[in-house]
Amino acid sequence: MAEKQKEMSFLGHLEELRWHLVRSASAIFIIGILLFIFQKEVYEHFLLAHRKPDFITYQIFCDFFNFLGMDSTFCNVAFSDNLISLKPTQQLMNAIWSSLILGIILSFPYLLWEVWRFISPGLTKKEIRSSKGFIFIASFLFFCGIAFSFYVIAPISIHFLYNYQITDLIQNNFTLDSHIGLVTNMLLGVSVLFELPVLIYFLTKIGLVTPEFLKKYRKHALVVVLILAAIITPPDIASQVIVAIPILILYEISIKVSKMVIKKQKKDAQKSTRV
C-alpha cells in the first residue's frame, strides 16, 4: 500500500511537471505568434537595427572619439548591400525561428515563475522567505545581459565583421540567417553569462562552491572570461575588454553573494545548536 502511494506521488509529480512545461511552452508560443504577426517591426527595429548608420551606439562612440580628438569609423558607418536570402523558404523559416527565440527571451520571467512554482512545495517556509527575490533578480540580470549585448556587443561586432576584409578580391555578401544567427546567439549567450551571481548562489547553498574557492581561482576565471569574450566578440582587444569588464564585475559580485550565503548558513547553524 505504501509503495502504491509512493508511486502515485511520483506520478503526481510527473503530471504536475507536465503542466508546468505545457504552460511554459504555451507562453513562448503565444509571444512568438505575436512577434511573428509584427515581424516587419521586429526585424526593422530590433534584429536589423544594427545595420542602420544612425543606431544610437554608433552615435555615442562617434561623439566619444570626437571628444578625445580621435577619428573613428563609427562616424561613417555604412551598410551598402542588403542581406541575401538564398532559399524560397529562408525568410519564412527565419521569421519563425526568430519569433520563437525572442519568445523565449521575453517570457523568461514567466518561465522562472513556473520553475519556482514547481520547486517551492518542496522548500521550507524559511527557504521560501529567503528566496523571495529570486525571480526578480534573475530576470533583472537576464535583461541587463540582453541590453548590454544589444547596445554594446552586437553593434561593435557587426561593425567590425561587416568591415573586415582580407583583400578587395573578396566581396562580403552576408545571408539573412548568418546575421540573425549572430545577433540572437549574442543575445542569449551574454544574458546567460549575466546569471553568474544566481548560479553561484545556488552552488554555494548546496556546498559545491565557497568564497575561498572563488578567490583562489580568480586568475583562472579571468582566463576563462577572456576566452568567452574572444568567442562572442570580434578578434580585437577593445571589444574583448568591453565584454570582459562586466563579467569580471559579476564574478566579484558572485564572491560577495557566496560570502552572504555562507554567513547566513553559519548563523542558522548557531541558532539551531542553541535550540
Side-chain angles (χ1 to χ4, degrees):
M1 184 71 178
E3 289 181 0
K4 185 176 180 181
Q5 288 178 346
K6 186 177 180 181
E7 183 180 356
M8 289 297 292
S9 176
F10 175 72
L11 292 176
H13 281 297
L14 284 180
E15 179 67 13
E16 187 179 355
L17 175 61
R18 184 173 74 89
W19 281 109
H20 284 296
L21 293 175
V22 168
R23 286 192 293 268
S24 299
S26 298
I28 294 172
F29 278 108
I30 290 171
I31 295 175
I33 290 170
L34 291 174
L35 293 171
F36 184 79
I37 293 172
F38 297 98
Q39 58 184 277
K40 182 178 180 181
E41 289 76 12
V42 171
Y43 272 77
E44 290 184 353
H45 301 296
F46 188 76
L47 293 175
L48 300 177
H50 308 103
R51 286 179 52 86
K52 297 180 180 180
D54 59 347
F55 187 70
I56 186 171
T57 304
Y58 302 142
Q59 296 178 354
I60 292 173
F61 282 4
C62 176
D63 294 338
F64 175 74
F65 285 112
N66 285 338
F67 175 76
L68 298 177
M70 300 168 60
D71 293 330
S72 173
T73 55
F74 286 106
C75 297
N76 300 300
V77 177
F79 300 97
S80 56
D81 298 326
N82 291 328
L83 296 173
I84 300 172
S85 178
L86 298 176
K87 301 176 183 177
T89 59
Q90 189 169 32
Q91 291 193 53
L92 175 62
M93 295 306 299
N94 190 275
I96 293 173
W97 282 111
S98 297
S99 298
L100 289 176
I101 292 172
L102 294 180
I104 294 173
I105 291 174
L106 292 178
S107 61
F108 184 75
Y110 179 78
L111 300 181
L112 285 180
W113 186 60
E114 285 292 347
V115 172
W116 174 252
R117 288 180 63 190
F118 179 70
I119 65 175
S120 58
L123 302 177
T124 63
K125 291 182 178 180
K126 184 181 292 185
E127 288 173 332
I128 292 174
R129 284 197 303 269
S130 63
S131 305
K132 272 185 176 180
F134 162 70
I135 296 176
F136 173 78
I137 293 172
S139 299
F140 176 75
L141 291 172
F142 183 84
F143 286 111
C144 281
I146 293 292
F148 182 73
S149 177
F150 183 77
Y151 287 106
V152 180
I153 300 178
I156 292 176
S157 301
I158 290 171
H159 176 264
F160 175 84
L161 295 173
Y162 270 70
N163 289 281
Y164 181 79
Q165 195 170 14
I166 299 174
T167 172
D168 292 337
L169 298 176
I170 303 174
Q171 184 179 0
N172 289 331
N173 290 317
F174 300 110
T175 63
L176 172 66
D177 284 349
S178 63
H179 178 90
I180 301 302
L182 178 66
V183 173
T184 54
N185 287 339
M186 281 189 288
L187 289 174
L188 289 174
V190 175
S191 60
V192 170
L193 288 177
F194 269 60
E195 294 294 321
L196 181 61
V198 176
L199 176 63
I200 294 299
Y201 172 83
F202 285 106
L203 291 179
T204 305
K205 288 279 285 185
I206 61 178
L208 292 179
V209 168
T210 62
E212 291 73 23
F213 174 85
L214 295 173
K215 289 179 180 178
K216 180 180 178 180
Y217 291 98
R218 183 186 273 119
K219 293 180 180 179
H220 300 79
L222 173 61
V223 174
V224 173
V225 166
L226 291 175
I227 292 173
L228 290 173
I231 292 173
I232 62 179
T233 60
D236 66 279
I237 299 299
S239 300
Q240 293 173 17
V241 170
I242 289 172
V243 174
I245 287 174
I247 299 176
L248 290 174
I249 293 173
L250 288 171
Y251 187 85
E252 294 300 322
I253 293 174
S254 299
I255 295 176
K256 301 292 184 184
V257 170
S258 184
K259 283 183 179 179
M260 290 172 58
V261 173
I262 295 295
K263 186 177 180 180
K264 191 174 186 308
Q265 287 178 339
K266 289 180 178 179
K267 188 183 292 185
D268 293 339
Q270 289 175 354
K271 286 182 180 179
S272 61
T273 53
R274 289 173 186 172
V275 174

